[in-house]
Amino acid sequence: MAASGYTVQAAVLLLALQLLSLGAADADQETGTVIPAESRPCVDCHAFEFMQRALQDLKKTAFNLDARTEMLVLRAERRALCDCMTTNSLR
């Protein structure tokens, strides 16, 4: 019976210590400077702006690649046409 009394006392002591430590943690958080939500940009806004810039860069790169591909295809077609005309004109 005495052992169960010590167990209950130990449990109460541990509970009291946990409550005290939680109260101290809350007090530490309250001592910092609080910046109002209206004056600080949200993380989602920064992520959205970053994604917009990345999308613009991708569009620009895609346009440059498309223009370069079209130029290379036209060059290849012109070479093929010139090679064909040179071969046919020699006959």
Side-chain angles (χ1 to χ4, degrees):
M1 190 80 165
S4 79
Y6 290 125
T7 307
V8 171
Q9 287 177 348
V12 170
L13 181 63
L14 286 174
L15 181 61
L17 288 174
Q18 286 179 341
L19 289 174
L20 287 174
S21 67
L22 286 176
D26 289 341
D28 288 343
Q29 290 176 356
E30 293 174 2
T31 58
T33 305
V34 178
I35 300 172
E38 298 83 25
S39 66
R40 62 176 184 234
C42 64
V43 174
D44 291 338
C45 296
H46 287 303
F48 181 74
E49 290 170 0
F50 174 78
M51 293 303 291
Q52 273 187 322
R53 286 192 300 265
L55 184 59
Q56 289 173 351
D57 291 345
L58 284 172
K59 284 181 181 178
K60 191 184 304 182
T61 302
F63 177 77
N64 290 340
L65 286 173
D66 188 44
R68 178 90 174 131
T69 302
E70 187 175 341
M71 184 181 68
L72 290 172
V73 168
L74 288 174
R75 234 188 246 172
E77 287 176 350
R78 186 173 56 211
R79 271 194 200 136
L81 185 61
C82 290
D83 290 345
C84 181
M85 291 180 73
T86 306
T87 306
N88 286 338
S89 64
L90 292 176
R91 291 183 182 174

